[in-house]
Amino acid sequence: MNKSDLKDYAVVGKPIRRVDGPAKVTGKATYAGDLLLPGTLHGKILRSPYAHARILNIDYSRAMKLHGVRAVVTGRDFPGVRYGFMPQTRDQLPMATDKVKHYGEAVAAVAAIDEDIAEEALDLIDVEYEELTPVLTIDDAMKEGAVIIHDHMDTNIAASSKMHFGDVEKGFKESDYIREEKFTTQRVSIGFIEPHAVIVNVDNSGNVLIQGSKQSPYITWRHFCRAMDLPLGKVRIINPYVGGGFSGKHEALDLDFAAAALSKKTGFPVKIVLSQDEVIAAFKQRHAKHVEIKIGMKKDGTLVACECKMIAEGGAYASVGPFNIVIFATSGLLLPYRMSHFKYEAHRVYTNKPWCGSVRGQSIPIARFAFESLFNMMIDDLGLDQLEVRKKNSILSGESTINKMTVGTAGMVEAIEKLGEMIGWDGRKKKKAPYRGIGIACSPQVSGARMGGHFGSSAVVKVDEDGGVCLIHGGTEIGQGCDTVLAQMAAEVIGVPVEEIRQMEEDSDVAVLEAGMFSSRCTFWAGHAVKRAAEDACQQLAEIAAPLLEASKDDIVFKNKTVFSRKNPGRAIAFIDLVRNAYYTKGQPIYGRGSYSASNIPMPDLKTGEGDVTNAWAFFAQAVEVEVDPETGRVKVLKSVCTRDVGRPINPMLLDAQLEGGTVFTSGQALYEECCFDEKGRPLQNSFLDYKMPTVMEAPENEHFDIITDDPNGPFGAKGAGEGSNGTTLAAIANAVEDAIGVRIKDLPITPEKILAILKQRR
Amino acid sequence: MKRPVELTVNGVLYKLEIEPRRTLLEVIREIIGLTGTKRGCDRGNCGSCTVIMDQKPIASCLVLAVEAHGKNITTIEGVADHGHLHPLQEAFLEHGAIQCGFCTPGMVMSAKALIDNNQAPLESEIKEAISGNLCRCGGYARIVKAIASVKAKS
Ligand code: FES
Ligand code: FES
């Protein structure tokens, strides 16, 4: 950020400490697994040892006889209503009834007076299965005569997407250089350190209280009510702190349903905390993808056309798979570069593996990996400069994409320029060390894609009679820092210190729920709602202040806990006195409300891919430097430099941290993480010992720079940004490895074995 | 069969009757009721359950409570002094070294054990000290800087 970019804000744009920090650093922050209610029973879930099997019979009479067991439930204890994200892909039940479709799927659950007894009882439940042929690969799923996983369907294709803009054949004819490559990416685990946990109480009137580790309590609430056939008002969801989500904690999960059914049966609260073994083996992962991509360009590097075929292997349930394959194209391929012709075909297939949905970055990391890898190769083939070509093709402010997505502000070109400066791009060729490489990649980031359903945000600002401020918003603090960023916005408007703003947990009854924490939407969407709620409260106060200050209410300014007219700043009243006046003299409590719905966005057509999805796009450029050890084949990511146009970061320190984290997270997928299964679909990893994730030893150094574009559509100029580096890191690492060893690896992860095989061949 | 176990946790002596198979982590969280120490994996792989026992950082999920009999244990709740944050805790806040916070207690305990015993650790020693603590939010670089800043001050 340049000095001139600093506006005269009191707290917005400042790298202040996070408001949830003191609770978290002292161990006082409460997570779902820490909660207990009087009389709490403990639940455990019996999971399928088969990837695909019919359930012939479940006999739990022996379990019920075990001392301390209070209840057992199976799939038959639920109403049999399927749930899911879209009407056409509602394919999930609370627990398997007649068929299990992946290893680890829940078939029964026990509540007992302690965890050990519940665990022991699982061994006393007899389940008779008839094993079916598991469908494990894209080929298995799509071949002629394939075994069909879902009885209500006649193929294993959960969703498809086809797009064609311009005329791709014509585009390739007009191109001077065309290249086509196939890339494959693997399943990876989400890997949050806090396993899924929930405590549910069902009272005598059937009112359900859910407190769980939920990234998007709204989504859980909706799914839960649908599958349990309950009106929303019967179910209250309250959310404690969440120990990482990364898109793994949106949906209602088997433990939520099981705890509710067990609580209903026993009349006591039931708590279920999964083990990491269960989470890693049987819960959400990132889709494995086969991507065939073809790009046509002019000999000066001008991008002309792109054609892409993608198949996503997504496991037993559709989850957000249908969105995932659309977003792959709209947010992953059609930006940040201009192109005139684009054709896309994608399928999302079912297999008998744990289900996949979105994971940190959604499908953008994979799309950018394929695109930026091939783009990089072609730029090298033509002997052009990697940065110059990227700059030349970058979309500019005010332009639209070929599928009619409008881009308001775009600082992509400036971000690439700055990146070049920061990594000393021009001088690098001369002093390149052996086995060292630098890779570049760019990515767009949507500010919360509007994809249908309830999507609005709302907030309430209550000003207490002693000047305290209570901010009620729907942001879920999953680590991304929404409580801090939203408090900064409210504090800025009201002119009080951030520390004086208190916030509460999301609560479906007495607070508000956000549509969810995904698609980097919270700062943008909830931010607007919070800003408007704070402005509404100030409006109410300004009307009272105006006559006191003999000023027009439109001139009233709230700053440093004082209130004055911008025409006469010398004459001020204390904020607290104004509030007292409102309450005691006027008898008027101050409640501000605000909402944001972005109803101006013409919803994207999921069939054609046409239409806008967001009111603002952020842009990211990243360079990573790697070192390859020729003896072991190991790749070390030494340094990451990220330049970005996020409009205006509300808290640059929190954003830096989130983006650095995104790079660490994604580097695991680039280099070693992979969920593996045996020939029967049983997972080969079920712990952090088998499933290796980046540690401190793998984390690179980081540098950042902000290109301030102050997007007029964003609250305080901000755009959505949190997942930006996930979009760039995979491709940047792949490009850096090629730069280091001179050979391109197109199937992830880029393991030491693959590198050694290449180096050996060369010797 | 429960066995008598005496634990001094954050300076308070607890005289308990514990089943021999219960881990120290379970006893700290469920019996003593200090839930700041987190259970991430229960297998010694994530470090979120780290506490300091007789000056050493240990994964409390791997230690049986009976083995800790007579020991002095510090958990995350015992790091701040009557509401005054420890310099390490201040440093975590100052450097943005916290995100979801689930790994934070374990990180702070590993770091505290290091700087309690080594006032001027090298960066490599800091990394080594927290190499058993996973942070999926990925905030390692900031955590290292935070710890290094404390050593720089003292
Ligand atoms: S819970 Fe002890 S190391 Fe993970
Ligand atoms: S802060 Fe989330 S795991 Fe470390």
Side-chain angles (χ1 to χ4, degrees):
Chain A
M1 205 189 299
N2 295 317
K3 277 237 168 61
S4 61
D5 292 325
L6 291 169
K7 273 206 182 169
D8 191 19
Y9 290 128
V11 277
V12 155
K14 304 276 179 338
I16 64 161
R17 292 176 172 203
R18 50 189 308 144
V19 299
D20 52 346
K24 287 177 173 175
V25 84
T26 53
K28 296 282 191 241
T30 303
Y31 298 80
D34 303 333
L35 299 172
L36 273 183
L37 293 167
T40 297
L41 299 173
H42 297 271
K44 290 277 174 197
I45 294 177
L46 182 67
R47 301 188 175 280
S48 166
Y50 302 110
H52 200 192
R54 263 188 210 291
I55 300 171
L56 303 178
N57 188 40
I58 303 179
D59 177 0
Y60 54 81
S61 52
R62 289 196 302 142
M64 283 304 293
K65 286 185 197 125
L66 184 68
H67 177 77
V69 169
R70 289 287 187 269
V72 177
V73 293
T74 70
R76 305 263 166 232
D77 288 282
F78 299 91
V81 183
R82 289 201 199 97
Y83 69 98
F85 279 87
M86 298 166 79
Q88 57 274 37
T89 55
R90 283 184 187 139
D91 55 12
Q92 237 168 328
L93 287 169
M95 250 185 220
T97 48
D98 48 353
K99 206 173 166 187
V100 285
K101 303 187 189 78
H102 67 89
Y103 173 92
E105 183 157 15
V107 293
V110 181
I113 55 170
D114 69 36
E115 282 191 76
D116 293 332
I117 294 172
E119 186 87 54
E120 203 183 326
L122 295 184
D123 290 339
L124 301 175
I125 301 176
D126 302 303
V127 186
E128 242 181 279
Y129 294 98
E130 176 197 329
E131 262 190 271
L132 302 170
T133 311
V135 176
L136 299 176
T137 62
I138 290 174
D139 288 346
D140 286 355
M142 295 186 76
K143 71 182 178 204
E144 240 351 79
V147 173
I148 302 298
I149 296 171
H150 285 274
D151 294 344
H152 69 278
M153 299 204 36
D154 44 19
T155 73
N156 289 318
I157 298 177
S160 298
S161 172
K162 276 193 182 155
M163 305 180 191
H164 194 179
F165 305 104
D167 178 347
V168 89
E169 289 314 319
K170 183 163 158 266
F172 287 126
K173 269 196 209 113
E174 286 167 5
S175 302
D176 298 322
Y177 181 49
I178 299 168
R179 187 165 173 178
E180 188 173 1
E181 293 291 346
K182 182 169 178 177
F183 297 88
T184 57
T185 63
Q186 78 283 32
R187 276 177 173 256
V188 295
S189 183
I190 299 186
F192 35 71
I193 313 298
E194 177 204 31
H196 294 299
V198 76
I199 181 164
V200 182
N201 187 45
V202 183
D203 73 13
N204 291 341
S205 319
N207 297 308
V208 183
L209 172 65
I210 303 177
Q211 291 168 279
S213 173
K214 296 300 174 187
Q215 171 170 5
S216 299
Y218 169 75
I219 297 175
T220 303
W221 187 51
R222 282 295 306 271
H223 283 180
F224 184 90
C225 290
R226 184 181 161 84
M228 298 298 267
D229 204 13
L230 290 169
L232 294 173
K234 271 282 177 204
V235 178
R236 178 177 182 189
I237 186 161
I238 303 179
N239 225 47
Y241 282 120
V242 178
F246 319 118
S247 268
K249 295 176 177 172
H250 296 303
E251 296 96 330
L253 300 171
D254 54 29
L255 62 152
D256 308 324
F257 294 115
L262 290 165
S263 177
K264 193 171 166 203
K265 261 197 177 175
T266 59
F268 286 95
V270 174
K271 176 173 173 178
I272 302 183
V273 180
L274 299 191
S275 66
Q276 277 296 351
D277 314 30
E278 291 173 282
V279 178
I280 292 170
F283 280 78
K284 202 197 257 177
Q285 301 174 348
R286 204 193 276 283
H287 289 88
K289 285 181 174 159
H290 287 192
V291 187
E292 286 171 36
I293 182 164
K294 182 175 171 184
I295 293 177
M297 55 167 63
K298 296 281 192 193
K299 38 177 193 299
D300 67 354
T302 304
L303 178 61
V304 181
C306 173
E307 182 171 5
C308 180
K309 289 193 190 120
M310 190 272 282
I311 303 177
E313 181 271 301
Y317 298 104
S319 181
V320 293
F323 295 124
N324 180 293
I325 60 174
V326 173
I327 290 166
F328 188 95
T330 54
S331 300
L333 297 175
L334 285 156
L335 280 170
Y337 307 128
R338 237 176 272 115
M339 63 181 88
S340 311
H341 310 280
F342 178 76
K343 193 171 178 186
Y344 178 67
E345 182 180 336
H347 304 286
R348 199 282 196 181
V349 300
Y350 287 121
T351 57
N352 291 119
K353 287 183 180 170
W355 42 285
C356 302
S358 48
V359 175
R360 205 168 179 175
Q362 242 294 13
S363 46
I364 301 170
I366 313 302
R368 293 318 298 159
F369 163 66
F371 188 99
E372 290 277 338
S373 294
L374 178 56
F375 201 45
N376 208 85
M377 291 152 86
M378 293 174 73
I379 295 168
D380 278 346
D381 292 346
L382 290 174
L384 300 172
D385 182 83
Q386 293 290 348
L387 292 184
E388 284 309 316
V389 173
R390 284 181 169 83
K391 262 194 313 200
K392 177 200 297 276
N393 288 294
S394 290
I395 199 134
L396 303 176
S397 299
E399 288 186 333
S400 293
T401 61
I402 181 154
N403 67 323
K404 301 208 174 94
M405 300 190 298
T406 44
V407 171
T409 55
M412 190 77 258
V413 173
E414 295 83 347
I416 298 170
E417 244 158 39
K418 187 70 197 178
L419 187 73
E421 233 176 270
M422 289 170 76
I423 60 174
W425 181 253
D426 289 340
R428 65 181 279 276
K429 287 285 177 215
K430 275 172 252 150
K431 44 179 189 297
K432 187 173 169 329
Y435 297 107
R436 285 252 185 141
I438 292 184
I440 310 285
C442 297
S443 181
Q445 176 60 50
V446 67
S447 301
R450 181 165 181 237
M451 301 297 281
H454 154 48
F455 222 81
S457 296
S458 49
V460 175
V461 164
K462 182 167 80 97
V463 182
D464 308 326
E465 61 199 84
D466 65 354
V469 176
C470 176
L471 170 63
I472 299 169
H473 61 74
T476 300
E477 183 50 82
I478 53 175
Q480 85 283 44
C482 70
D483 284 358
T484 307
V485 160
L486 296 174
Q488 280 178 270
M489 294 197 205
E492 188 68 47
V493 174
I494 308 169
V496 297
V498 169
E499 306 77 59
E500 291 187 15
I501 296 198
R502 63 185 196 281
Q503 300 175 68
M504 53 190 297
E505 298 166 311
E506 302 84 69
D507 183 326
S508 58
D509 268 5
V510 303
V512 298
L513 296 185
E514 191 67 19
M517 295 298 103
F518 51 84
S519 196
S520 296
R521 70 188 293 282
C522 187
T523 296
F524 194 86
W525 289 70
H528 268 301
V530 164
K531 184 165 178 271
R532 288 175 181 180
E535 284 165 352
D536 184 29
C538 288
Q539 260 307 308
Q540 296 168 30
L541 286 166
E543 281 183 25
I544 299 168
L548 300 175
L549 291 166
E550 294 172 318
S552 150
K553 71 173 165 37
D554 300 330
D555 289 332
I556 302 295
V557 177
F558 293 79
K559 208 170 186 171
N560 294 333
K561 296 173 86 171
T562 59
V563 184
F564 53 87
S565 160
R566 80 183 81 245
K567 298 219 171 106
N568 183 10
R571 181 173 168 192
I573 43 178
F575 180 70
I576 186 170
D577 291 335
L578 177 59
V579 176
R580 281 188 182 134
N581 190 298
Y583 274 88
Y584 304 148
T585 310
K586 302 268 176 214
Q588 183 185 331
I590 302 297
Y591 282 80
R593 55 182 277 257
S595 64
Y596 181 72
S597 63
S599 43
N600 62 314
I601 301 172
M603 298 270 289
D605 183 331
L606 287 185
K607 284 245 158 56
T608 66
E610 190 168 290
D612 254 329
V613 292
T614 181
N615 273 329
W617 290 96
F619 294 94
F620 293 80
Q622 189 183 20
V624 298
E625 182 171 15
V626 302
E627 183 171 54
V628 177
D629 181 336
E631 297 306 316
T632 62
R634 283 175 70 125
V635 177
K636 184 154 174 56
V637 182
L638 303 171
K639 187 170 173 181
S640 156
V641 180
C642 182
T643 56
R644 65 209 182 195
D645 157 23
V646 302
R648 169 178 298 273
I650 303 297
N651 186 323
M653 177 168 78
L654 264 55
L655 182 59
D656 289 352
Q658 202 180 359
L659 295 176
E660 289 166 15
T663 290
V664 170
F665 187 105
T666 312
S667 70
Q669 171 153 27
L671 298 173
Y672 37 85
E673 286 182 37
E674 178 164 19
C675 296
C676 301
F677 299 82
D678 71 7
E679 74 295 342
K680 292 195 145 198
R682 291 174 296 207
L684 298 181
Q685 300 119 325
N686 63 1
S687 74
F688 288 142
L689 194 62
D690 307 323
Y691 189 83
K692 288 277 186 243
M693 309 195 297
T695 71
V696 67
M697 299 303 187
E698 283 77 44
E701 272 177 52
N702 304 278
E703 281 177 35
H704 307 268
F705 189 85
D706 278 303
I707 307 295
I708 301 294
T709 56
D710 268 326
D711 196 288
N713 286 336
F716 296 101
K719 313 188 207 183
E723 293 164 289
S725 64
N726 299 91
T728 48
T729 298
L730 275 185
I733 291 178
N735 290 342
V737 171
E738 184 184 35
D739 190 42
I741 62 169
V743 180
R744 169 67 53 171
I745 295 174
K746 292 177 292 183
D747 55 327
L748 295 182
I750 302 171
T751 56
E753 294 74 30
K754 290 178 194 170
I755 287 184
L756 283 182
I758 286 167
L759 294 181
K760 209 181 266 164
Q761 251 175 24
R762 215 165 49 191
R763 266 178 211 141
Chain B
M1 255 314 217
K2 289 193 175 171
R3 292 231 300 258
V5 175
E6 292 189 12
L7 304 173
T8 304
V9 180
N10 304 331
V12 177
L13 176 66
Y14 293 85
K15 296 184 176 184
L16 308 166
E17 297 275 317
I18 306 281
E19 306 254 10
R21 64 192 157 75
R22 304 298 304 268
T23 64
L24 181 60
L25 173 64
E26 289 169 341
V27 170
I28 290 172
R29 283 179 57 85
E30 295 162 23
I31 297 179
I32 298 178
L34 294 171
T35 56
T37 306
K38 296 298 177 216
R39 181 166 86 172
C41 69
D42 217 18
R43 286 181 171 221
N45 304 147
C46 76
S48 62
C49 65
T50 306
V51 299
I52 298 176
M53 184 160 89
D54 289 349
Q55 276 105 56
K56 286 203 188 61
I58 54 149
S60 61
C61 69
L62 291 183
V63 175
L64 293 174
V66 291
E67 294 175 82
H69 175 69
K71 307 268 186 188
N72 231 311
I73 292 154
T74 309
T75 71
I76 187 68
E77 289 90 345
V79 176
D81 184 12
H82 295 94
H84 293 291
L85 296 186
H86 185 277
L88 258 176
Q89 293 172 311
E90 289 284 352
F92 268 60
L93 295 173
E94 188 57 31
H95 287 82
I98 304 164
Q99 294 184 55
C100 79
F102 202 78
C103 71
T104 307
M107 287 284 185
V108 170
M109 298 320 288
S110 293
K112 183 169 188 300
L114 172 73
I115 61 166
D116 282 352
N117 299 312
N118 177 354
Q119 245 112 70
L122 304 170
E123 185 176 295
S124 58
E125 289 172 318
I126 294 175
K127 288 188 173 175
E128 183 63 39
I130 59 163
S131 61
N133 294 78
L134 292 175
C135 175
R136 191 58 158 172
C137 295
Y140 297 118
R142 284 167 185 277
I143 295 168
V144 171
K145 280 205 188 100
I147 300 168
S149 77
V150 173
K151 110 191 164 183
K153 263 183 237 152
S154 50

